[in-house]
Amino acid sequence: MKLYSILILRKVQDKAEILASQFDLSSFGYFQRSSVQEFMNFSAATIAERTPAGQRQSVESENNVAHVYGHPQGVIGVIISDKEYPSRVAFSLLNKILDEFLVRFPREKWNPPLSYPELNDYLSKYQDPKQADTIMRVQNELDETTAILHKTIESVLQRGEKLDSLVDRSETLSSQSKMFYKTAKKTNSCCVVM
């Protein structure tokens, strides 16, 4: 699961304009990074132009997904990630980023490029959605607990099988010890010690 970029855009006469952006292209080759960044900018702008206010959508392209949210107040947030990244986490991050952006930058301050260093913090924090998202963290803990319970149940069943074999052995031993007692009694009955 990997986040590649977070972009905040606005529409100006049906054309999308990037207000702020942050990228993590470390998984790409050094000489590919500028091309990848250009492609992500182009993709984000194209998708943002086609996303109406108040709508959320995820657009897949090869191994990547662009999660887009057109905020009703005129900004559009785009997160580009790999396919494994959970869309619920991406959209909750977009909500959070756009709400904070609108508080920090009123509409009259939307002159690109805007300095918004918090995007870098979000990009690094949300690389692992299990740590950043409470619901995913709880789900992960439940999965671990379930695995432990399965192991415990398996060991109890194995112990139960071992106990059954011990009971069978003790019954066999008990019947053999009764036969030994009877045989010893018969053998000792012929001789009386005085």
Side-chain angles (χ1 to χ4, degrees):
M1 290 185 265
K2 179 88 171 143
L3 279 181
Y4 297 119
S5 65
I6 301 173
L7 300 101
I8 300 173
L9 304 97
R10 70 171 176 177
K11 283 186 189 177
V12 179
Q13 299 171 356
D14 292 333
K15 286 287 186 193
E17 181 178 42
I18 297 173
L19 296 173
S21 62
Q22 190 63 48
F23 297 89
D24 179 3
L25 304 176
S26 58
S27 59
F28 296 97
Y30 180 77
F31 295 108
Q32 295 175 321
R33 291 179 187 170
S34 63
S35 299
V36 169
Q37 184 173 341
E38 260 184 64
F39 178 73
M40 287 184 181
N41 284 336
F42 174 76
S43 299
T46 304
I47 295 167
E49 290 168 2
R50 296 181 174 127
T51 303
Q55 184 177 346
R56 299 171 199 269
Q57 62 182 349
S58 295
V59 180
E60 288 189 29
S61 170
E62 295 179 20
N63 294 328
N64 302 321
V65 179
H67 305 281
V68 185
Y69 174 44
H71 197 279
Q73 293 186 19
V75 290
I76 299 128
V78 179
I79 289 179
I80 299 176
S81 66
D82 62 5
K83 282 188 178 181
E84 286 83 36
Y85 201 85
S87 61
R88 190 182 55 72
V89 178
F91 284 119
S92 68
L93 176 58
L94 279 174
N95 268 347
K96 185 176 190 173
I97 289 172
L98 292 180
D99 288 343
E100 288 179 11
F101 179 84
L102 290 168
V103 168
R104 184 169 172 189
F105 298 102
R107 188 178 289 268
E108 51 280 350
K109 291 186 179 179
W110 291 359
N111 298 319
L114 295 173
S115 175
Y116 193 32
E118 289 84 356
L119 287 181
N120 191 35
D121 298 337
Y122 285 126
L123 195 59
S124 60
K125 179 182 176 186
Y126 277 78
Q127 286 297 335
D128 183 7
K130 292 175 187 160
Q131 297 303 319
D133 185 47
T134 310
I135 293 173
M136 283 197 72
R137 186 172 38 242
V138 169
Q139 181 64 44
N140 196 32
E141 290 172 5
L142 283 174
D143 291 343
E144 289 174 6
T145 305
T146 304
I148 291 170
L149 284 174
H150 283 295
K151 287 180 184 177
T152 305
I153 289 171
E154 287 175 9
S155 65
V156 165
L157 290 174
Q158 287 175 350
R159 249 187 265 141
E161 291 171 4
K162 290 177 184 174
L163 287 176
D164 288 344
S165 78
L166 283 175
V167 167
D168 290 343
R169 288 181 193 166
S170 68
E171 288 174 359
T172 305
L173 184 62
S174 176
S175 64
Q176 287 177 350
S177 65
K178 284 180 187 176
M179 285 180 55
F180 176 75
Y181 174 74
K182 287 179 184 176
T183 308
K185 192 173 182 182
K186 281 183 187 176
T187 307
N188 290 338
S189 67
C190 68
C191 308
V192 178
V193 179
M194 292 197 178

